Amino acid sequence: MSFTEFKPEDGAPPESMKLFGAILAALGFLTALVGWGVRRLKPWSRFPFIFLNLPGLLGFPAATLISGYCLYLSAGPTGKYILSERYQRIAERTPEVKA
């Protein structure tokens, strides 16, 4: 049974739909976790952020521009520095400086 053949009156959804829902839930959790890491400038979040932005390049035209800009910021020299351990140490020593 494919996704298009399922009708609500047929009863419980097939196992493939449950698996698909679980995959989407896990991807949503991962995206939220990486977003939290980027927002807090955690160094571990840089590569997952780059990986999660790659599919956005296929969404022409708006998503391509937004994802391209996010990739430029995170994979470029600015992202390497801002999302580094060195920057974290500087930020900890200067809490009075806010962006």
Side-chain angles (χ1 to χ4, degrees):
M1 173 181 276
S2 70
F3 294 123
T4 57
E5 296 171 359
F6 175 72
K7 296 179 182 32
E9 60 270 3
D10 291 343
E15 294 301 316
S16 58
M17 288 186 76
K18 291 178 183 177
L19 176 65
F20 186 65
I23 290 170
L24 286 180
L27 187 60
F29 177 75
L30 176 67
T31 302
L33 183 65
V34 171
W36 176 83
V38 170
R39 178 78 174 113
R40 302 277 184 215
L41 300 178
K42 301 292 183 185
W44 59 263
S45 66
R46 184 169 169 256
F47 289 110
F49 183 70
I50 292 169
F51 177 74
L52 289 173
N53 270 295
L54 289 176
L57 294 174
L58 301 175
F60 188 79
T64 301
L65 294 173
I66 294 168
S67 290
Y69 186 63
C70 288
L71 287 170
Y72 167 73
L73 290 177
S74 60
T78 303
K80 286 180 184 176
Y81 181 69
I82 296 291
L83 296 172
S84 70
E85 294 288 338
R86 179 176 178 214
Y87 187 81
Q88 292 295 310
R89 289 191 302 271
I90 293 170
E92 288 172 4
R93 283 188 257 146
T94 56
E96 67 278 357
V97 178
K98 296 289 180 186

